[in-house]
């Protein structure tokens, strides 16, 4: 959570960049608001269409079943919007967040310039990476949706697991800006964060909970991108440098100045 606080402090100290980072999130918010309103409007009809077998049931069971289905459907839509909001905002705001993240790097002593690729290529890579991550999210979301129908467990354990899953993948999405600049492939990003689950959850879960409050996601996104950049500098740069005297310690904490050599890209630190 320290990185979240540092990221928000950075954008508040640099107000121009805070406003700059709000634009993609505002556009994405409008799109999701329209989609959720449409889902709420059609949820009852979708519940009736999905449960034709309940037409012959005695009252009040059809209403209870369809009411539960409607609530779960809208809750799933809300959860999906939380899971995908960052991915869509990052895709819409690729140039905005890349510039913001680069500015954070410069203010902290410099960072890699990243691969020299045209904008369309960067957007295509981001789209492919987001699809890869969303497929993994779906592998969790579908079973959790089904388990949501289980009495007691579906109203207690499942939401907790859902927030943990959402928080982990939200961290994956937010750190992708700085990790793409280091040319770290998406599979390696997932592996890095799986090895530091507590770090990933500590950063992502509070954001997921905050994003459930209307409009909060818009105002936290610039600081979240800045905080994720600071997280990556400690997690990846220190690891790649091997924790030198001028860099990061073995635990990923800052022990002194750590200027990342410009033009340097990711190399897998795992022993052969």
């Amino acid at each position: 959570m320290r990185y979240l606080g540092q990221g928000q402090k950075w954008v508040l100290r640099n107000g121009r960049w805070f406003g700059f980072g709000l634009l993609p999130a505002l556009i994405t918010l409008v799109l999701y608001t329209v989609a959720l309103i449409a889902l709420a409007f059609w949820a009852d009809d979708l519940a009736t269409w999905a449960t034709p077998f309940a037409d012959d049931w005695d009252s009040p069971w059809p209403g209870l079943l369809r009411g539960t289905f409607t609530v779960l459907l809208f809750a799933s839509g809300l959860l999906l919007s939380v899971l995908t909001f960052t991915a869509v905002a990052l895709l819409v705001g690729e140039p905005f967040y890349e510039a913001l993240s680069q500015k954070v790097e410069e203010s902290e002593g410099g960072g890699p310039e990243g691969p020299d690729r045209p904008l369309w290529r960067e957007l295509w890579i981001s789209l492919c990476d987001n699809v890869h991550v969303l497929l993994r999210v779906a592998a969790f979301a579908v079973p959790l949706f089904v388990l949501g129908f289980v009495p007691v467990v579906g109203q207690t354990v499942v939401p907790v697991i859902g927030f943990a899953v959402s928080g982990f993948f939200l961290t994956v999405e937010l750190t992708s800006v700085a990790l793409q600049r280091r040319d770290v492939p998406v599979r390696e990003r997932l592996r890095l964060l799986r090895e530091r689950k507590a770090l990933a959850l500590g950063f992502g879960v509070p954001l997921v909970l905050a994003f459930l409050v209307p409009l909060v996601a818009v105002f936290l996104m610039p600081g979240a991108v800045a905080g994720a950049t600071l997280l990556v500098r400690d997690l990846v740069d220190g690891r790649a440098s091997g924790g030198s005297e001028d860099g990061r310690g073995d635990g990923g904490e800052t022990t002194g100045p750590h200027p990342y050599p410009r033009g340097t890209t990711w190399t897998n630190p795992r022993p052969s």
Side-chain angles (χ1 to χ4, degrees):
M1 292 179 67
R2 176 169 57 90
Y3 292 105
L4 285 176
Q6 289 176 347
Q8 301 305 323
K9 287 180 182 177
W10 191 94
V11 294
L12 290 176
R13 288 198 306 266
N14 298 270
R16 183 171 68 89
W17 287 97
F18 176 68
F20 185 75
L22 285 179
L23 295 176
L26 283 170
I27 295 170
T28 307
L29 177 67
V30 171
L31 295 175
Y32 273 84
T33 300
V34 172
L36 286 173
I37 290 174
L39 178 62
F41 184 78
W42 295 103
D44 289 340
D45 293 335
L46 288 172
T48 302
W49 172 81
T51 57
F53 52 86
D55 289 341
D56 298 328
W57 291 5
D58 295 331
S59 180
W61 302 115
L64 289 174
L65 174 66
R66 287 166 178 166
T68 302
F69 185 90
T70 299
V71 171
L72 288 173
L73 182 64
F74 188 79
S76 298
L78 188 62
L79 179 60
L80 185 63
S81 68
V82 172
L83 286 169
T84 59
F85 181 90
T86 304
V88 175
L90 290 173
L91 188 61
V92 171
E94 172 74 24
F96 295 85
Y97 293 136
E98 174 60 32
L100 171 61
S101 179
Q102 185 69 55
K103 189 65 177 179
V104 173
E105 300 258 30
E106 291 174 3
S107 71
E108 294 296 313
E113 295 181 349
D116 185 14
R117 288 191 286 251
L119 178 59
W120 71 266
R121 178 66 176 166
E122 291 287 349
L123 291 174
W124 174 251
I125 291 174
S126 295
L127 178 61
C128 292
D129 289 350
N130 287 333
V131 170
H132 180 87
V133 172
L134 288 176
L135 288 175
R136 288 176 176 256
V137 171
F140 288 94
V142 173
L144 288 174
F145 176 78
V146 175
L147 290 173
F149 288 95
V150 178
V152 182
V153 174
Q155 293 75 48
T156 54
V157 178
V158 171
V160 173
I161 297 174
F163 282 124
V165 170
S166 301
F168 177 84
F169 284 105
L170 185 59
T171 303
V172 172
E173 295 289 353
L174 287 167
T175 54
S176 67
V177 178
L179 289 172
Q180 278 183 353
R181 189 182 307 114
R182 288 158 174 79
D183 210 18
V184 183
V186 64
R187 294 179 186 276
E188 191 65 20
R189 295 175 217 162
L190 289 164
R191 188 188 65 80
L192 279 171
L193 291 172
R194 279 200 304 268
E195 291 179 353
R196 299 291 301 276
K197 288 187 182 71
L199 180 66
L201 293 174
F203 185 85
V205 172
L207 274 175
V208 170
L209 296 173
F211 282 8
L212 293 176
V213 181
L215 300 179
V216 167
V218 174
F219 293 101
L220 290 186
M221 271 296 288
V225 173
T229 302
L230 296 173
L231 186 154
V232 168
R233 286 178 65 84
D234 281 356
L235 178 64
V236 176
D237 294 359
R239 180 172 180 159
S241 68
S244 64
E245 292 180 2
D246 295 331
R248 315 290 178 178
D250 292 338
E253 297 296 327
T254 305
T255 58
H258 183 75
Y260 196 106
R262 290 190 175 276
T264 304
T265 53
W266 166 262
T267 53
N268 193 335
R270 287 181 294 179
S272 59

